[in-house]
Amino acid sequence: MAYNRFLALERRLAKSLQTKNQYVQFMEEYENLGHMTRVDIDSISKPRYFIPHHCIVRPESRTTKLRVVFDASAKSSTGMSLNDLMYTGPTVQSELFTILLRFRLPRFVFTTDVEKMYRQMLIQPDERKFQLIIWREDSSLPIKHYQLNTITHGTRSAPYLAPKCLQKIAKENALQYPLGAQFLQDNFYVDDGIGGSDSLTTTMEIQQQLIHTLKQRGLNLRKWCANHSQLLQNVSMEEQEVDIDFDNDINQSIKTLGLTWMPKMDRFCVKVRLGSCSLATKRSVSADLARLFDPLGILAPIVVMAKMFIQDLWQLKLTWDEALPADLNERWTTFRNDLQKLDNMQVSRHVFEGYIPAKIQIHVFSDASEKAYGAAIYIRSELDEGRVQVRLLCAKSRVAPLKLQTIPRLELCTSVLGTQLTTRVKSDLKLDDVATYFWTDSQIVLA
């Protein structure tokens, strides 16, 4: 299986010299760094496993244009894959929603990334025979066999093992580098770290402690970005995510955990990039809606309309490539055109707009209709000179069940959704003592 897939890969690479050169360069680096080692296959005892591999090309990336992907879910001749026989492991890092939520509170923030994180963690030598690959630089050369020595992205346990190593490093450095260790513990999602504090001095200290904590274990931080120039003054241009000129380039943006962030303006920016669509089908609709990445619910009023459309579409039981009926096609075309108006919409990253509040309150609004229900959480902050500022923190929406429900029951559902979301937010942001108000127009809920 692995051999046949490798031959197919060679035929694909033969069609593009540039892609082939990048692939060869990637594998040469893999070997030169000691992340894989050539082996004599006859000396490798059974059981063993060969992982097929292919590439993903990302021309827009500043660091890695081509990435080799290892498919440990490919079935071997036994009918089982490596991933079929591996444990997944528990979740050890905070969820994406939690980390992005925390990112909205500090005044000064930075983002960074652990270079080649998975490949910095060695696995036990006697287990490397389950990470064998087939490779050669050119089809004119004989087939070579290699074993991968480090955690391999594509194996089921990798999303647990690599972050667990970061957690272990944080625990062991909690006394020597308390700020850096705490950041490593709470503000990393896989290999991406985002966060900061209200003090520029403290944020710079977090940054330096984080660098020292990881550097002593051979881990390098790169792709640095920040909303203040002093946080980048000791970072080389090669280690920065983008070339940000804090004097001129206001609209420069980066992707951080799926969101587009404009560090100079310190705002999130909505990017709508829909491809051309000559025929609306269930497949094309699903592909377009998958581009609406909105983990914090900033676009909840729009996303819930998309959810309602999907619900109606699924009831028709169409095939994936069957054209939509005329009425749904018209409805989708109108919605799709309106989506373009969201492009470049901006929302402040810092929920307090650059100020340090003297006092804050949480206000939760919930409401329901026959089709959908939702809840939104706002932060009310009291600033200097008695000024008051109210900003949306997050929201969540759901479509009503297909089985007809009464409005009072849906109002109760949305109030439950609001309280659950509030409990989650207050726990994630450690705001347990903050005054909280729930708002509803339903007398049933109030009673």
Side-chain angles (χ1 to χ4, degrees):
M1 175 273 301
Y3 177 73
N4 290 335
R5 284 184 56 172
F6 177 71
L7 295 182
L9 171 69
E10 282 192 323
R11 291 192 293 269
R12 175 189 168 191
L13 295 178
K15 298 176 182 178
S16 173
L17 183 60
Q18 181 182 4
T19 304
K20 180 181 178 180
N21 290 338
Q22 291 177 343
Y23 209 111
V24 171
Q25 184 179 354
F26 186 100
M27 298 301 276
E28 284 179 349
E29 180 195 54
Y30 222 101
E31 184 175 9
N32 293 336
L33 291 174
H35 298 166
M36 74 177 188
T37 307
R38 188 176 179 183
V39 295
D40 176 10
I41 194 61
D42 295 327
S43 66
I44 305 296
S45 62
K46 296 180 179 180
R48 61 195 185 194
Y49 181 77
F50 286 88
I51 306 180
H53 50 92
H54 60 279
C55 65
I56 294 177
V57 180
R58 297 187 301 170
E60 73 281 0
S61 175
R62 292 186 74 247
T63 52
T64 309
K65 303 290 185 184
L66 179 141
R67 185 181 299 274
V68 174
V69 178
F70 298 96
D71 183 10
S73 293
K75 305 287 186 185
S76 72
S77 55
T78 64
M80 303 291 286
S81 70
L82 178 63
N83 282 346
D84 289 336
L85 303 175
M86 295 183 80
Y87 288 117
T88 303
T91 300
V92 294
Q93 290 179 320
S94 299
E95 293 182 21
L96 180 68
F97 174 82
T98 300
I99 293 177
L100 289 174
L101 205 60
R102 290 173 182 158
F103 191 53
R104 299 202 68 191
L105 286 194
R107 184 180 178 186
F108 300 101
V109 292
F110 62 82
T111 65
T112 187
D113 168 88
V114 180
E115 184 177 8
K116 299 180 177 65
M117 185 179 83
Y118 282 41
R119 290 163 52 189
Q120 304 301 320
M121 320 294 185
L122 291 167
I123 63 170
Q124 294 289 346
D126 58 346
E127 295 179 358
R128 296 173 190 174
K129 65 180 182 177
F130 299 109
Q131 295 189 159
L132 300 174
I133 67 166
I134 295 169
W135 173 244
R136 61 183 173 188
E137 294 81 5
D138 190 82
S139 57
S140 62
L141 300 174
I143 287 287
K144 301 175 185 177
H145 302 95
Y146 293 85
Q147 68 178 14
L148 306 182
N149 301 323
T150 61
I151 293 174
T152 300
H153 189 72
T155 55
R156 176 172 287 178
S157 62
Y160 161 74
L161 292 173
K164 181 65 176 179
C165 289
L166 293 187
Q167 299 279 307
K168 175 75 171 173
I169 293 171
K171 185 176 180 180
E172 292 178 351
N173 287 272
L175 294 179
Q176 185 178 4
Y177 300 113
L179 295 177
Q182 192 66 48
F183 186 95
L184 189 59
Q185 182 84 23
D186 297 338
N187 295 87
F188 264 78
Y189 186 77
V190 191
D191 58 350
D192 292 304
I194 66 171
S197 75
D198 289 330
S199 164
L200 179 59
T201 303
T202 302
T203 307
M204 294 176 70
E205 182 61 26
I206 292 173
Q207 183 185 33
Q208 292 306 310
Q209 288 192 17
L210 183 65
I211 291 172
H212 291 310
T213 299
L214 294 176
K215 192 173 184 179
Q216 65 183 3
R217 295 303 179 95
L219 298 173
N220 180 53
L221 290 169
R222 59 173 185 170
K223 295 185 179 180
W224 287 94
C225 197
N227 65 343
H228 196 284
S229 58
Q230 289 190 36
L231 292 168
L232 298 174
Q233 63 183 0
N234 295 321
V235 179
S236 66
M237 292 302 303
E238 293 75 21
E239 299 293 332
Q240 294 184 28
E241 171 73 354
V242 288
D243 183 7
I244 295 180
D245 186 341
F246 273 84
D247 295 323
N248 301 315
D249 200 347
I250 292 178
N251 295 315
Q252 185 68 272
S253 65
I254 67 163
K255 292 284 281 215
T256 176
L257 296 183
L259 296 182
T260 301
W261 178 45
M262 306 168 69
K264 170 67 176 177
M265 298 182 67
D266 205 10
R267 301 178 77 83
F268 289 131
C269 180
V270 176
K271 295 290 185 183
V272 179
R273 296 289 184 265
L274 302 179
S276 59
C277 180
S278 56
L279 179 67
T281 64
K282 192 160 78 169
R283 187 185 305 277
S284 67
V285 168
S286 300
D288 283 340
L289 294 182
R291 299 172 186 268
L292 282 179
F293 184 67
D294 183 37
L296 294 178
I298 304 299
L299 304 177
I302 292 93
V303 172
V304 76
M305 293 173 64
K307 291 178 180 178
M308 290 159 54
F309 182 85
I310 285 288
Q311 189 181 56
D312 293 341
L313 180 59
W314 249 248
Q315 290 184 75
L316 298 179
K317 294 182 169 55
L318 300 174
T319 63
W320 280 101
D321 297 307
E322 188 177 348
L324 302 187
D327 57 333
L328 279 182
N329 185 71
E330 182 180 356
R331 181 176 153 197
W332 171 247
T333 301
T334 302
F335 179 78
R336 196 174 189 273
N337 292 337
D338 286 345
L339 275 180
Q340 303 289 351
K341 299 174 184 176
L342 289 175
D343 198 34
N344 293 319
M345 186 190 85
Q346 297 177 13
V347 178
S348 177
R349 190 277 312 168
H350 189 215
V351 78
F352 305 121
E353 302 273 2
Y355 296 96
I356 305 298
K359 182 181 179 182
I360 65 172
Q361 296 175 350
I362 293 176
H363 290 261
V364 187
F365 292 83
S366 57
D367 202 2
S369 71
E370 292 180 349
K371 290 283 189 180
Y373 58 93
I377 297 181
Y378 290 81
I379 293 285
R380 178 187 186 273
S381 52
E382 296 180 11
L383 309 176
D384 52 359
E385 301 175 354
R387 289 182 301 145
V388 172
Q389 181 176 265
V390 180
R391 292 291 181 269
L392 175 68
L393 180 65
C394 63
K396 191 174 284 290
S397 62
R398 289 180 180 165
V399 291
L402 291 175
K403 184 178 179 181
L404 190 62
Q405 305 286 331
T406 63
I407 292 296
R409 183 172 182 82
L410 290 172
E411 291 281 8
L412 287 167
C413 286
T414 192
S415 295
V416 169
L417 179 65
T419 53
Q420 289 175 339
L421 184 61
T422 305
T423 301
R424 169 78 182 274
V425 167
K426 294 181 73 171
S427 173
D428 288 345
L429 300 182
K430 298 179 174 58
L431 299 177
D432 296 327
D433 297 330
V434 173
T436 307
Y437 300 84
F438 294 87
W439 299 84
T440 177
D441 61 358
S442 169
Q443 289 295 325
I444 296 290
V445 172
L446 293 173

